[in-house]
Amino acid sequence: VDRRQIAAQAASEVGAKGTVLGSFVYLPGQLGYHDSAASIAYDPKESVRLLAKAGYAKNSHGTMVRKGQALTLTMPVPAKTPTNSERASSIKRDLKKVGIVVRLRTVPADTFFNSYVVALNFDLVTFTWRGSAFPVAGTEPLFFPVDSGQNFTGLRDDVLGPAWDKANAALDSAKRHEIVRGIDSRLFDDAPMVPIAVTPITVAVRNGVLNYGASQFEQPEWTRVGFRPKKK
């Protein structure tokens, strides 16, 4: 999947620069962030090689087939969500290039999470997680344990359990960053989830309002928020 294209597409809607996400834990700009995503770089030739290694071969229609079964994946998309629809269409186009068929299934937005994501009723699915000022504790339940309530991968990796504990308990930031890089490395090796891009936070502010706007982990300093004085 060409994550750079998806990132650029998402950011262009608000006039921002597309930023690909290279860590499961930290966001670009956070202390400790390191791009560990080389193993999932966009590489159609490598994708075809891996599929062939798994026993797939292209048929006369260019679709990957194994034991007579076409490689077809279903992807639910919440209705009336243009950004999600665009992202899903990009993924479908990319996977088609290597012979994987993706069937997009429009579903009601109000039942999307409970009926499809939480129920693991999908082959592929995309949605947005919000970053956290406490990234280690905020990310752990996405992967461990399998019944955390936020782990929608349906997978468990008991080796990572102690690693999350060590990262959460580490008081030395350098040591914590080192542990997190190990966690990232293991997750990217198996890629139970694929981080795509950082979605900009945008806020519309009327002319004349000062010191108020988009923020990620901080709240406005309300004593400094106000209106620009009118010229006499």
Side-chain angles (χ1 to χ4, degrees), residues 205 208-214 219-228:
V205 180
V209 175
L210 303 177
N211 302 317
Y212 182 80
Q219 293 298 315
E221 173 53 71
W222 292 107
T223 62
R224 299 178 62 84
V225 175
F227 295 92
R228 179 180 290 111

Side-chain angles (χ1 to χ4, degrees), residues 86-117:
E86 289 174 1
R87 188 165 60 242
S89 295
S90 293
I91 292 171
K92 178 178 179 176
R93 286 194 298 270
D94 285 342
L95 294 186
K96 183 179 180 180
K97 294 174 185 176
V98 296
I100 300 174
V101 177
V102 177
R103 291 177 178 168
L104 302 183
R105 180 183 179 187
T106 301
V107 301
D110 58 350
T111 63
F112 171 67
F113 250 86
N114 286 337
S115 298
Y116 297 91
V117 180

Side-chain angles (χ1 to χ4, degrees), residues 74 76 105 115-124:
T74 300
R105 180 183 179 187
S115 298
Y116 297 91
V117 180
V118 177
L120 305 183
N121 184 16
F122 58 85
D123 294 317
L124 296 172

